[in-house]
């Protein structure tokens, strides 16, 4: 209605146009105002702690279950061994039990590393090129390693070597570098799909062609540098690096040790520096390889820098005779894990490597869960996280709407000031009188004349002189006005 009180041009006309445009913009953008604030789920630290089992030292125990056999290999390690053969963990992440009550936990880390832990590792090799063939004039005998032999028409044989006589790949190495606890040698007749089968490299029996294949896998006590995450109840750990422990001696049933150059404590790398004598910090003796008579036979390190494994002889003497010593067999093995390795004549390196990895993972999980030492060396600690509702403010949107509302306030203030200065201080603009006596451009209608359109009294007098009559115009009723004389 403001435009009816203005001239065709002038400040009021421009102000009215600006107000109309501002109103349109405000109406058009108002639905998007809710986008200035958005809600989302976020994680916030809880009050409870979380922990991951880890190990700096593990000792294989022999337990006395009866008076006749006082040195029986401990049952939990036996169970871990059988689990690794029959039902191996899917991976190292699922093999350990993590304490995280909320299902979301954070663990201190640096350079994509959360902690170091003692565990069990494995390696496998294809050594078919080392098979020795003996023609006895009666049949062929295939052999590999120390005592693994396979006679003609036999399909599978397996045997083992324990530390310190392991290290098949380089016999020139001394015991310091022979780090495996046990080497398991496998000799298997595998199916040959070639058309030419010439003895002794290939034999025909059991309705097919078979060639001898040889493999070996080793178990090593090792150190894994791990990056760990726990999100939505799913624990995952990534192995960043791997280090092998050194064979030291037969003391304590077979001892392995390694002092690392640096270790991870509470998400911070800590350098490890050895000393020739013990002190308040370096309290653990580590036996070192002597390159000369003047070098010390041992160094002293902080407990968190030293990783150890004792009792390897007990482990190898259980695994070898009980699980990995078979005679030449003409049928698939009596035990299910040997049948798995032969796999109907399809033994290959990938199968052997996966088999060894499953066993090592199961043993490593037990080592981490049953480690010895103080709590700080048996677990990596973290913090639980709780799911909260958080909001995000889009400040760009806020700035836009603030500018719109600021302009509207200025427009309102301008109207108030202009209305205050106007001659008319009544509510005539809400009636129809102004429309009756003025056109849209504030020009006066000739048939209805008001001397002063801005004066309430003038409009009232003009209205009193107007008469209205309903007239029939071509079948349509219309209201006609005429000025009273």
């Amino acid at each position: 209605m403001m435009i009816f009180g203005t001239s065709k041009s002038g400040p009021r006309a421009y102000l009215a146009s600006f107000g109309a445009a501002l109103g349109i913009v405000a109406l058009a953008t108002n639905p998007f105002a809710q986008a200035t604030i958005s809600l989302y789920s976020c994680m916030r630290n809880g009050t409870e702690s979380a922990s991951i089992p880890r190990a700096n030292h593990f000792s294989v125990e022999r337990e006395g279950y009866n008076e006749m056999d006082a040195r029986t290999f401990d049952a939990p390690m036996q169970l871990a061994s059988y689990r690794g053969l029959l039902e191996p963990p899917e991976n190292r992440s699922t093999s350990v039990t993590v304490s995280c009550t909320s299902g979301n936990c954070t663990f201190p880390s640096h350079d994509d590393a959360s902690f170091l832990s003692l565990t069990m590792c494995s390696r496998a090799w294809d050594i078919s090129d080392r098979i020795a063939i003996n023609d006895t004039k009666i049949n062929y005998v295939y052999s590999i390693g120390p005592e693994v032999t396979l006679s003609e028409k036999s399909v599978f044989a397996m045997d083992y070597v324990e530390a310190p006589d392991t290290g098949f790949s380089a016999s020139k190495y001394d015991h310091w570098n022979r780090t495996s606890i046990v080497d398991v040698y496998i000799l298997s007749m595998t199916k040959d799909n070639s058309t030419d089968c010439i003895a002794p490299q290939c034999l025909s029996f059991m309705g097919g062609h078979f060639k001898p294949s040889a493999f070996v896998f080793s178990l090593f006590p090792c150190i894994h540098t791990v990056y760990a995450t726990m999100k939505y109840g799913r624990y995952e750990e990534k192995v960043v690096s791997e280090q092998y422990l050194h064979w030291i001696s037969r003391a304590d049933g077979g001892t392995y040790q390694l002092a690392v150059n640096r270790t991870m404590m509470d998400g911070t790398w800590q350098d490890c520096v050895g000393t020739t004598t013990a002190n308040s910090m370096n309290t653990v003796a580590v036996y070192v390889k002597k390159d000369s008579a003047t070098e010390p036979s041992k160094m002293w390190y902080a407990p968190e820098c030293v990783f150890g494994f004792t009792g390897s002889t007990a482990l190898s003497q259980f695994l070898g005779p009980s699980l990995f010593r078979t005679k030449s067999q003409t049928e698939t093995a009596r035990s299910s894990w040997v049948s798995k390795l032969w796999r109907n004549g399809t033994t290959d390196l990938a199968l052997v490597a996966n088999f060894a990895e499953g066993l090592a993972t199961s043993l490593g999980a037990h080592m981490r869960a049953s480690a010895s030492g103080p709590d700080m060396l048996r677990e990596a600690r973290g913090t639980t996280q709780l799911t909260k509702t958080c909001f995000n403010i889009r400040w760009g949107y806020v700035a836009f709407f603030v500018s719109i509302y600021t302009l509207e306030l200025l427009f309102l203030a301008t109207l108030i000031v202009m209305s205050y200065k106007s001659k008319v201080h009544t509510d005539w603009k809400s009636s129809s009188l102004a429309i009756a006596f003025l056109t849209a451009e504030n020009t006066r209608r000739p048939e209805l004349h008001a001397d002063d359109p801005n004066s309430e009294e003038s409009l009232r007098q003009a209205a009193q002189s107007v008469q209205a009559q309903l007239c029939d115009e071509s079948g349509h009723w219309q209201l006609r006005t005429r000025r009273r004389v």
Side-chain angles (χ1 to χ4, degrees), residues 259-307:
V260 294
N261 294 326
R262 62 174 186 169
T263 188
M264 174 73 70
M265 297 299 295
D266 296 326
T268 303
W269 284 110
Q270 175 181 312
D271 292 330
C272 298
V273 180
T275 57
T276 56
T277 58
N279 56 42
S280 60
M281 296 292 294
N282 295 353
T283 59
V284 180
V286 177
Y287 295 88
V288 297
K289 180 182 178 182
K290 295 180 64 174
D291 293 324
S292 66
T294 59
E295 292 185 0
S297 60
K298 61 184 177 181
M299 298 285 288
W300 297 83
Y301 286 85
E304 60 269 21
C305 295
V306 181
F307 294 80

Side-chain angles (χ1 to χ4, degrees), residues 98-167:
V98 178
S99 175
C100 177
T101 56
S102 65
N104 295 285
C105 293
T106 58
F107 300 93
S109 61
H110 183 69
D111 294 337
D112 290 334
S114 303
F115 61 90
L116 276 68
S117 178
L118 177 70
T119 186
M120 190 69 72
C121 296
S122 66
R123 291 188 65 186
W125 298 267
D126 186 329
I127 54 172
S128 299
D129 58 336
R130 302 189 185 190
I131 298 176
I133 304 174
N134 181 25
D135 186 357
T136 65
K137 306 302 181 182
I138 299 176
N139 59 11
Y140 294 104
V141 177
Y142 304 92
S143 61
I144 190 69
E147 298 179 358
V148 186
T149 60
L150 198 63
S151 60
E152 188 174 337
K153 295 185 181 180
S154 298
V155 296
F156 193 89
M158 183 165 53
D159 209 336
Y160 76 100
V161 176
E162 65 181 63
D165 298 321
T166 54

Side-chain angles (χ1 to χ4, degrees), residues 40-325:
Y40 65 97
S41 296
C42 60
M43 298 295 178
R44 293 294 181 264
N45 289 339
T47 57
E48 299 182 10
S49 61
S51 63
I52 305 172
R54 59 175 296 273
N56 265 64
H57 187 271
F58 177 81
S59 178
V60 177
E61 301 294 339
R62 287 182 180 269
E63 300 179 357
Y65 295 101
N66 55 65
E67 295 181 358
M68 299 299 295
D69 186 6
R71 292 178 58 80
T72 303
F73 186 56
D74 69 285
M77 199 65 168
Q78 289 189 44
L79 179 60
S81 302
Y82 282 115
R83 183 183 293 114
L85 298 179
L86 301 176
E87 192 179 18
E90 181 180 352
N91 50 57
R92 294 189 180 271
S93 300
T94 60
S95 67
V96 296
T97 302
V98 178
S99 175
C100 177
T101 56
S102 65
N104 295 285
C105 293
T106 58
F107 300 93
S109 61
H110 183 69
D111 294 337
D112 290 334
S114 303
F115 61 90
L116 276 68
S117 178
L118 177 70
T119 186
M120 190 69 72
C121 296
S122 66
R123 291 188 65 186
W125 298 267
D126 186 329
I127 54 172
S128 299
D129 58 336
R130 302 189 185 190
I131 298 176
I133 304 174
N134 181 25
D135 186 357
T136 65
K137 306 302 181 182
I138 299 176
N139 59 11
Y140 294 104
V141 177
Y142 304 92
S143 61
I144 190 69
E147 298 179 358
V148 186
T149 60
L150 198 63
S151 60
E152 188 174 337
K153 295 185 181 180
S154 298
V155 296
F156 193 89
M158 183 165 53
D159 209 336
Y160 76 100
V161 176
E162 65 181 63
D165 298 321
T166 54
F168 81 95
S169 60
S171 59
K172 65 180 181 179
Y173 285 179
D174 59 23
H175 291 172
W176 182 262
N177 292 308
R178 296 173 181 174
T179 55
S180 58
I181 293 175
V182 61
D183 293 340
V184 178
Y185 289 81
I186 298 172
L187 195 55
S188 175
M189 299 300 292
T190 57
K191 294 179 180 179
D192 187 358
N193 297 323
S194 63
T195 56
D196 297 330
C197 185
I198 302 175
Q201 285 74 24
C202 177
L203 299 177
S204 297
F205 63 97
M206 296 175 58
H209 301 325
F210 292 85
K211 64 179 180 180
S213 299
F215 308 91
V216 62
F217 70 84
S218 301
L219 298 178
F220 305 81
C222 63
I223 304 168
H224 276 173
T225 301
V226 175
Y227 176 68
T229 58
M230 183 74 173
K231 294 181 178 180
Y232 305 109
R234 182 182 179 87
Y235 173 71
E236 292 187 4
E237 63 180 37
K238 174 185 176 183
V239 177
V240 179
S241 64
E242 187 174 279
Q243 304 176 70
Y244 297 128
L245 274 65
H246 294 306
W247 161 267
I248 301 300
S249 70
R250 292 186 183 274
D252 296 324
T255 300
Y256 289 79
Q257 268 189 332
L258 181 66
V260 294
N261 294 326
R262 62 174 186 169
T263 188
M264 174 73 70
M265 297 299 295
D266 296 326
T268 303
W269 284 110
Q270 175 181 312
D271 292 330
C272 298
V273 180
T275 57
T276 56
T277 58
N279 56 42
S280 60
M281 296 292 294
N282 295 353
T283 59
V284 180
V286 177
Y287 295 88
V288 297
K289 180 182 178 182
K290 295 180 64 174
D291 293 324
S292 66
T294 59
E295 292 185 0
S297 60
K298 61 184 177 181
M299 298 285 288
W300 297 83
Y301 286 85
E304 60 269 21
C305 295
V306 181
F307 294 80
F309 181 94
T310 58
S312 65
T313 302
L315 177 59
S316 60
Q317 289 180 354
F318 168 75
L319 293 176
S322 303
L323 308 177
F324 300 133
R325 174 167 284 171

Side-chain angles (χ1 to χ4, degrees), residues 423 444 449-459:
K423 297 179 181 180
R444 300 180 182 182
H449 176 69
D451 295 334
D452 186 2
N454 289 327
S455 171
E456 180 181 1
E457 182 63 27
S458 178
L459 289 174

